[in-house]
């Protein structure tokens, strides 16, 4: 069992930057693939970024590629999402998710993940 707590959300102007964090506890963090998803009002939860349990591979949605960077610090049991050049359409609740490593990783599907945080709000003003 893993508990995930997001933090770092807030209000930022378009073109600005923000870093959200996800702190994990309960199990060995390094055994989990980690993902970031977001959900805007009236929309379904969508994939943003993911990183493998070893931290070697990273994946991004086309909409954020080149602007967002996912990283993890296993020593701190934390995964980060650095968001640069933010756009109004990036505004959403951002959720952290964890999938215990089992040799299979469909990184961009919500159904892949076993654990979810409660989310952190990111607001982007125009």
């Amino acid at each position: 069992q893993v508990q995930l707590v997001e933090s770092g959300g807030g209000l930022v102007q378009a073109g600005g930057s923000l870093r959200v964090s996800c702190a994990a506890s309960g199990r060995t963090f390094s055994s989990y693939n980690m993902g970031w998803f977001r959900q805007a009002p009236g929309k379904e939860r969508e994939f943003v970024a993911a990183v493998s349990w070893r931290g070697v591979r990273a994946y991004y949605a086309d909409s954020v590629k080149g602007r967002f960077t996912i990283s993890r610090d296993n020593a701190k049991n934390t995964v980060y999402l650095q968001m640069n050049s933010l756009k109004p359409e990036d505004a959403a609740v951002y959720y952290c998710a964890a999938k215990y490593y089992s040799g299979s990783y469909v990184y961009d599907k919500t159904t892949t993940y076993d654990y979810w945080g409660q989310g952190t709000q990111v607001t982007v003003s125009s």
Side-chain angles (χ1 to χ4, degrees):
Q1 186 174 355
V2 173
Q3 290 184 330
L4 304 173
V5 180
E6 300 95 336
S7 63
L11 174 64
V12 63
Q13 291 185 329
S17 298
L18 200 65
R19 188 179 76 165
V20 291
S21 302
C22 174
S25 63
R27 292 289 178 90
T28 303
F29 178 71
S30 62
S31 297
Y32 290 83
N33 297 311
M34 302 295 297
W36 283 100
F37 290 74
R38 67 189 182 187
Q39 188 166 21
K43 294 186 177 181
E44 295 185 354
R45 194 168 299 184
E46 66 174 347
F47 169 74
V48 177
V51 63
S52 65
W53 72 289
R54 297 180 188 271
V56 175
R57 298 286 184 90
Y59 311 92
Y60 299 94
D62 289 340
S63 60
V64 306
K65 194 173 298 182
R67 299 187 298 120
F68 290 12
T69 302
I70 188 171
S71 62
R72 66 190 299 163
D73 187 339
N74 287 345
K76 296 182 178 180
N77 292 347
T78 302
V79 62
Y80 305 94
L81 184 68
Q82 177 67 46
M83 301 180 287
N84 298 326
S85 301
L86 282 161
K87 303 175 181 179
E89 53 262 43
D90 294 319
V93 176
Y94 281 71
Y95 296 91
C96 178
K99 164 67 177 179
Y100 187 78
Y101 176 72
S102 61
S104 179
Y105 189 34
V106 183
Y107 56 84
D108 61 343
K109 302 298 182 183
T110 59
T111 53
T112 291
Y113 296 89
D114 303 307
Y115 305 100
W116 294 85
Q118 292 185 325
T120 185
Q121 177 71 52
V122 173
T123 303
V124 184
S125 62
S126 60

